[in-house]
Amino acid sequence: MSTERPSDPWHDLHGVEDTVVVRPRTPPAVADDDDTVLRARGRSTPATGQGPRGSGRPAPRLHGLRVAGHEVLLDVPVVVGRSPTAPRVVDGVAPRLLVVPSATHEVSGSHVEVRQQGETVVVTDLRSTNGTRVTEPGRVPVSLRQGESLVARAGTIVDVGDGNLLEILPPQRLIPTKEPLL
């Protein structure tokens, strides 16, 4: 019986025959703490004022939207129109549907979407027939094309037609709705 090893091109080329054992830099209990952990971003919980999963970070402050004298928080996307409907495929949470009057049908069924993403508010024309006009404080009014989006700040007025004006309100301080558990 032969004690020769079969030919290995890598070992033949580099002349490596030995196995090298290296001690870990730190004990295993400490090494686990050095791992990088990635977690999916969770939605904040406005009622508790805590960030995702009790991270200790404050929840983002929510902007509001004034429509026909009523104010709503942008805790979920808002679809405004003559007879708004939710999209067939909902990405995330279902939108809040707000009906506005439109005697002359200038306002499309689902005319515009207003949503808060992080700390910003995004206004999106939902392929409306008569367009959406956006006026930011101190700026020239802009007409959105069908499907176009715009980042809006507090004080922005969104005209969807037939005298229906939407106003982006500044972020609100959230008051917990329940007593904290002890």
Side-chain angles (χ1 to χ4, degrees), residues 5-6 8 64-65 75 79 90 103 113 115 121-122 126 153 160:
R5 293 174 47 181
D8 180 350
L65 180 67
D75 55 343
V79 175
V90 176
E113 178 191 68
R115 75 170 50 228
V121 175
V122 179
L126 297 175
R153 56 191 165 138
V160 295

Side-chain angles (χ1 to χ4, degrees), residues 51-114:
R53 298 181 191 216
S55 65
R57 291 178 293 188
R61 293 169 28 137
L62 296 173
H63 285 265
L65 180 67
R66 183 176 295 133
V67 181
H70 296 91
E71 294 180 8
V72 295
L73 279 179
L74 292 175
D75 55 343
V76 297
V78 176
V79 175
V80 179
R82 189 178 70 246
S83 58
T85 58
R88 290 182 192 158
V89 177
V90 176
D91 183 26
V93 296
R96 179 176 293 125
L97 306 176
L98 293 179
V99 177
V100 293
S102 182
T104 63
H105 292 283
E106 281 185 21
V107 180
S108 294
S110 291
H111 195 100
V112 70
E113 178 191 68
V114 182

Side-chain angles (χ1 to χ4, degrees), residues 15-16 21 26 36 62 67-68 70 79 88 95 113 131 133 157 173:
V16 176
V21 177
T26 57
T36 300
L62 296 173
V67 181
H70 296 91
V79 175
R88 290 182 192 158
E113 178 191 68
R133 190 166 179 86
I157 303 295
R173 170 174 272 170

Side-chain angles (χ1 to χ4, degrees), residues 82 102 104-108 111 125 127-133 143-144 146 159-162:
R82 189 178 70 246
S102 182
T104 63
H105 292 283
E106 281 185 21
V107 180
S108 294
H111 195 100
D125 180 276
R127 304 202 178 283
S128 66
T129 304
N130 295 312
T132 302
R133 190 166 179 86
S143 293
L144 297 180
Q146 289 186 343
D159 185 352
V160 295
D162 261 347

Side-chain angles (χ1 to χ4, degrees), residues 164-176:
N164 293 295
L165 302 177
L166 319 176
E167 181 184 0
I168 308 298
L169 301 174
Q172 307 292 312
R173 170 174 272 170
L174 297 175
I175 312 265

Side-chain angles (χ1 to χ4, degrees), residues 4-52:
E4 278 187 42
R5 293 174 47 181
S7 178
D8 180 350
W10 193 85
H11 284 89
D12 292 345
L13 181 63
H14 298 289
V16 176
E17 292 279 340
D18 296 328
T19 301
V20 178
V21 177
V22 179
R23 288 177 133 186
R25 291 180 300 160
T26 57
V30 176
D32 290 342
D33 292 340
D34 290 339
D35 289 344
T36 300
V37 178
L38 299 177
R39 293 184 179 98
R41 289 186 180 188
R43 298 192 67 89
S44 62
T45 309
T48 63
Q50 292 292 313

